[in-house]
Amino acid sequence: MDSVEVSLLTCQPHDEVYSLYGHTAIRYHDFHQKGSVDAAFNYGVFNFQAPHFVARFVFGLTDYELGAFPYRLFKGEYRRFGSMVTEQVLNLTNEEKLRLRDALGENLRPENRIYRYNYFYNNCTTKARDIIEQCINGKVEYTERKDYTPTYRDMIHDMTERNIWSRWGNDLLLGIKADQPTTQRQQEFLPHNLMYDFDRAQIYENGNYRPLVKERRVSVPAGVQMHEPGFPLSPLQCFIALLAVGLVLFIIQWRMHRIFVVWEVLLMLATGIIGIVLTLMLFSQHPTVSLNLQIILLNPLPFFFLWPVIKGKKTIYWSITVVLASLFLIGGAFQSYAEGIWTLALCLLLQGYLHIIRKH
C-alpha cells in the first residue's frame, strides 16, 4: 500500500441544477500496480430518468448509489464544465488505506451500493466523510469554527446566489427547522465546508496527533463556466408587480363598489395550488419541511370555497382569509419565507377587507 494515495475530491459547482452545491468523491490511486489503478468513488450517482424522480426527491424517497469511474473520465467531466476540482491527499497508514479500499469495494457490491439519499443528512459528501472516518485508527478531531453557526437556509442562500428562482423554490418548501443554527458536523453536508474542516483536522491515536491531510493540490483548474440566462425578473420583482396590480384593483373596486371575481379566482387558485404542494410536503421524509408556517396562508382551503366565489355568493372565506393572512405575516418573525410571498398575503388582506366593509 506504499504506492497508494487516497484523496478527498471537492468539486466546484457548475450551472446544472443538481450541481449548485458542489460535489464530493474519493480518489483511490495506485501508482505502481500494473496498468495503474486510478478510480473516483462517487456516492452521487442517480438516474434522473427514473419514474417520478422529482416527486421522489421532494418527498425524501430518492435512492442514490455508489459508482466507481476511471479518474480521467471524472476529471474530464468537471474540466468540460469549467469546475475546479481540489484534491486533499489523506495522511493514512497502509492499514487504513487497505481498510478503506475494502470498505469501498464492499459498498460497491450490487446489494450494497444503493442508499436512501437525504440532501442535508445523508448525501454524497457525508457518505464520503463517514466511510473515511470509519476506516481510520483512532479519532478524527476537527478544529472548531468559532462564530460560524449558519442555518441550513443561510447555507443554501449562499450556494444559490446566482440561481434566485431555485433559491425561491427551496425557501417555499423549507420550514422553520431550516432556520435553526446548525452544528459544525451538520454544516459538512456542503462539500466546501467538509474540505475546509479536513484541512484543519487531526487524527488522534494512542496519545499522538497527525494531520488528516498531508497534501492539497488542484487537480482541475477553474475554467470558464457558461451560465444560461434565466427568467429576467426576480421573484421579488414579480411579487411586487402582483402587489401593484392588487393595489390598483383594490382602489378601482373600492370606488366602483363592486368585486372583480376573476381577480379573486386568480388569487385563490395561486394560493390553493401552492397550498397543495405544501400540504403534500407534510408527508415528506425531509425533517426540515415538516413544519412550514407558510402553510397558514398557502393551503388547499380556497378550493372548498372556489365555486361559491365564482357564482358571486356570500361566503365566510374572505373573513377566514383575513385572519390567516394576518397570522401568516406574524409568523414571518419566526420563519424566513420565500422572497416576496408576503405580497400575496397583502393582496388577500385587501380583498378580504373589501368584503368586510361591504357587509357594513
PDB file of all heavy atoms in Angstrom, residues 324-338:
ATOM      1  N   LEU A 324     -56.137  34.381   8.557  1.00  0.00           N
ATOM      2  CA  LEU A 324     -54.975  33.565   8.196  1.00  0.00           C
ATOM      3  C   LEU A 324     -53.833  34.425   7.650  1.00  0.00           C
ATOM      4  O   LEU A 324     -52.663  34.192   7.976  1.00  0.00           O
ATOM      5  CB  LEU A 324     -55.374  32.506   7.161  1.00  0.00           C
ATOM      6  CG  LEU A 324     -56.341  31.419   7.630  1.00  0.00           C
ATOM      7  CD1 LEU A 324     -56.646  30.448   6.493  1.00  0.00           C
ATOM      8  CD2 LEU A 324     -55.773  30.676   8.823  1.00  0.00           C
ATOM      9  N   ALA A 325     -54.154  35.414   6.824  1.00  0.00           N
ATOM     10  CA  ALA A 325     -53.112  36.281   6.274  1.00  0.00           C
ATOM     11  C   ALA A 325     -52.433  37.080   7.375  1.00  0.00           C
ATOM     12  O   ALA A 325     -51.207  37.301   7.340  1.00  0.00           O
ATOM     13  CB  ALA A 325     -53.706  37.215   5.217  1.00  0.00           C
ATOM     14  N   SER A 326     -53.200  37.504   8.366  1.00  0.00           N
ATOM     15  CA  SER A 326     -52.612  38.239   9.495  1.00  0.00           C
ATOM     16  C   SER A 326     -51.682  37.335  10.294  1.00  0.00           C
ATOM     17  O   SER A 326     -50.569  37.739  10.663  1.00  0.00           O
ATOM     18  CB  SER A 326     -53.725  38.793  10.392  1.00  0.00           C
ATOM     19  OG  SER A 326     -54.580  39.664   9.662  1.00  0.00           O
ATOM     20  N   LEU A 327     -52.127  36.105  10.565  1.00  0.00           N
ATOM     21  CA  LEU A 327     -51.285  35.145  11.290  1.00  0.00           C
ATOM     22  C   LEU A 327     -50.029  34.811  10.480  1.00  0.00           C
ATOM     23  O   LEU A 327     -48.943  34.654  11.037  1.00  0.00           O
ATOM     24  CB  LEU A 327     -52.075  33.869  11.582  1.00  0.00           C
ATOM     25  CG  LEU A 327     -53.216  33.990  12.605  1.00  0.00           C
ATOM     26  CD1 LEU A 327     -53.995  32.684  12.677  1.00  0.00           C
ATOM     27  CD2 LEU A 327     -52.657  34.364  13.970  1.00  0.00           C
ATOM     28  N   PHE A 328     -50.204  34.722   9.176  1.00  0.00           N
ATOM     29  CA  PHE A 328     -49.060  34.443   8.300  1.00  0.00           C
ATOM     30  C   PHE A 328     -48.000  35.534   8.416  1.00  0.00           C
ATOM     31  O   PHE A 328     -46.805  35.245   8.542  1.00  0.00           O
ATOM     32  CB  PHE A 328     -49.552  34.332   6.856  1.00  0.00           C
ATOM     33  CG  PHE A 328     -48.458  34.283   5.828  1.00  0.00           C
ATOM     34  CD1 PHE A 328     -47.822  33.090   5.522  1.00  0.00           C
ATOM     35  CD2 PHE A 328     -48.067  35.435   5.146  1.00  0.00           C
ATOM     36  CE1 PHE A 328     -46.818  33.041   4.568  1.00  0.00           C
ATOM     37  CE2 PHE A 328     -47.071  35.396   4.189  1.00  0.00           C
ATOM     38  CZ  PHE A 328     -46.441  34.193   3.908  1.00  0.00           C
ATOM     39  N   LEU A 329     -48.414  36.774   8.377  1.00  0.00           N
ATOM     40  CA  LEU A 329     -47.462  37.881   8.474  1.00  0.00           C
ATOM     41  C   LEU A 329     -46.777  37.894   9.837  1.00  0.00           C
ATOM     42  O   LEU A 329     -45.585  38.192   9.937  1.00  0.00           O
ATOM     43  CB  LEU A 329     -48.178  39.207   8.214  1.00  0.00           C
ATOM     44  CG  LEU A 329     -48.698  39.400   6.777  1.00  0.00           C
ATOM     45  CD1 LEU A 329     -49.532  40.665   6.666  1.00  0.00           C
ATOM     46  CD2 LEU A 329     -47.540  39.422   5.779  1.00  0.00           C
ATOM     47  N   ILE A 330     -47.502  37.548  10.897  1.00  0.00           N
ATOM     48  CA  ILE A 330     -46.887  37.448  12.227  1.00  0.00           C
ATOM     49  C   ILE A 330     -45.877  36.309  12.259  1.00  0.00           C
ATOM     50  O   ILE A 330     -44.798  36.425  12.843  1.00  0.00           O
ATOM     51  CB  ILE A 330     -47.975  37.231  13.294  1.00  0.00           C
ATOM     52  CG1 ILE A 330     -48.871  38.471  13.396  1.00  0.00           C
ATOM     53  CG2 ILE A 330     -47.347  36.908  14.653  1.00  0.00           C
ATOM     54  CD1 ILE A 330     -50.095  38.268  14.271  1.00  0.00           C
ATOM     55  N   GLY A 331     -46.202  35.200  11.586  1.00  0.00           N
ATOM     56  CA  GLY A 331     -45.297  34.056  11.546  1.00  0.00           C
ATOM     57  C   GLY A 331     -43.966  34.359  10.896  1.00  0.00           C
ATOM     58  O   GLY A 331     -42.974  33.659  11.127  1.00  0.00           O
ATOM     59  N   GLY A 332     -43.910  35.432  10.101  1.00  0.00           N
ATOM     60  CA  GLY A 332     -42.653  35.824   9.480  1.00  0.00           C
ATOM     61  C   GLY A 332     -41.580  36.211  10.473  1.00  0.00           C
ATOM     62  O   GLY A 332     -40.401  36.284  10.129  1.00  0.00           O
ATOM     63  N   ALA A 333     -41.972  36.460  11.713  1.00  0.00           N
ATOM     64  CA  ALA A 333     -40.991  36.771  12.755  1.00  0.00           C
ATOM     65  C   ALA A 333     -40.277  35.513  13.241  1.00  0.00           C
ATOM     66  O   ALA A 333     -39.232  35.602  13.883  1.00  0.00           O
ATOM     67  CB  ALA A 333     -41.684  37.461  13.938  1.00  0.00           C
ATOM     68  N   PHE A 334     -40.827  34.348  12.929  1.00  0.00           N
ATOM     69  CA  PHE A 334     -40.273  33.087  13.415  1.00  0.00           C
ATOM     70  C   PHE A 334     -39.660  32.239  12.310  1.00  0.00           C
ATOM     71  O   PHE A 334     -38.848  31.355  12.569  1.00  0.00           O
ATOM     72  CB  PHE A 334     -41.361  32.277  14.126  1.00  0.00           C
ATOM     73  CG  PHE A 334     -42.026  33.021  15.245  1.00  0.00           C
ATOM     74  CD1 PHE A 334     -43.215  33.706  15.027  1.00  0.00           C
ATOM     75  CD2 PHE A 334     -41.458  33.058  16.511  1.00  0.00           C
ATOM     76  CE1 PHE A 334     -43.836  34.403  16.056  1.00  0.00           C
ATOM     77  CE2 PHE A 334     -42.063  33.754  17.544  1.00  0.00           C
ATOM     78  CZ  PHE A 334     -43.253  34.430  17.314  1.00  0.00           C
ATOM     79  N   GLN A 335     -40.039  32.474  11.072  1.00  0.00           N
ATOM     80  CA  GLN A 335     -39.520  31.693   9.949  1.00  0.00           C
ATOM     81  C   GLN A 335     -39.279  32.597   8.756  1.00  0.00           C
ATOM     82  O   GLN A 335     -40.048  33.526   8.503  1.00  0.00           O
ATOM     83  CB  GLN A 335     -40.515  30.593   9.559  1.00  0.00           C
ATOM     84  CG  GLN A 335     -40.083  29.778   8.340  1.00  0.00           C
ATOM     85  CD  GLN A 335     -41.151  28.810   7.869  1.00  0.00           C
ATOM     86  OE1 GLN A 335     -41.808  28.159   8.674  1.00  0.00           O
ATOM     87  NE2 GLN A 335     -41.326  28.694   6.559  1.00  0.00           N
ATOM     88  N   SER A 336     -38.218  32.316   8.025  1.00  0.00           N
ATOM     89  CA  SER A 336     -37.957  33.050   6.781  1.00  0.00           C
ATOM     90  C   SER A 336     -38.857  32.485   5.684  1.00  0.00           C
ATOM     91  O   SER A 336     -38.900  31.282   5.467  1.00  0.00           O
ATOM     92  CB  SER A 336     -36.485  32.896   6.379  1.00  0.00           C
ATOM     93  OG  SER A 336     -35.642  33.521   7.314  1.00  0.00           O
ATOM     94  N   TYR A 337     -39.579  33.369   5.018  1.00  0.00           N
ATOM     95  CA  TYR A 337     -40.483  32.962   3.947  1.00  0.00           C
ATOM     96  C   TYR A 337     -39.802  33.106   2.592  1.00  0.00           C
ATOM     97  O   TYR A 337     -38.790  33.796   2.450  1.00  0.00           O
ATOM     98  CB  TYR A 337     -41.746  33.817   3.963  1.00  0.00           C
ATOM     99  CG  TYR A 337     -42.650  33.610   5.166  1.00  0.00           C
ATOM    100  CD1 TYR A 337     -43.525  34.618   5.561  1.00  0.00           C
ATOM    101  CD2 TYR A 337     -42.642  32.421   5.892  1.00  0.00           C
ATOM    102  CE1 TYR A 337     -44.379  34.441   6.657  1.00  0.00           C
ATOM    103  CE2 TYR A 337     -43.480  32.236   6.975  1.00  0.00           C
ATOM    104  CZ  TYR A 337     -44.335  33.243   7.355  1.00  0.00           C
ATOM    105  OH  TYR A 337     -45.176  33.064   8.429  1.00  0.00           O
ATOM    106  N   ALA A 338     -40.394  32.473   1.592  1.00  0.00           N
ATOM    107  CA  ALA A 338     -39.923  32.647   0.220  1.00  0.00           C
ATOM    108  C   ALA A 338     -40.061  34.122  -0.159  1.00  0.00           C
ATOM    109  O   ALA A 338     -41.045  34.796   0.195  1.00  0.00           O
ATOM    110  CB  ALA A 338     -40.721  31.768  -0.727  1.00  0.00           C
TER     111      ALA A 338
END
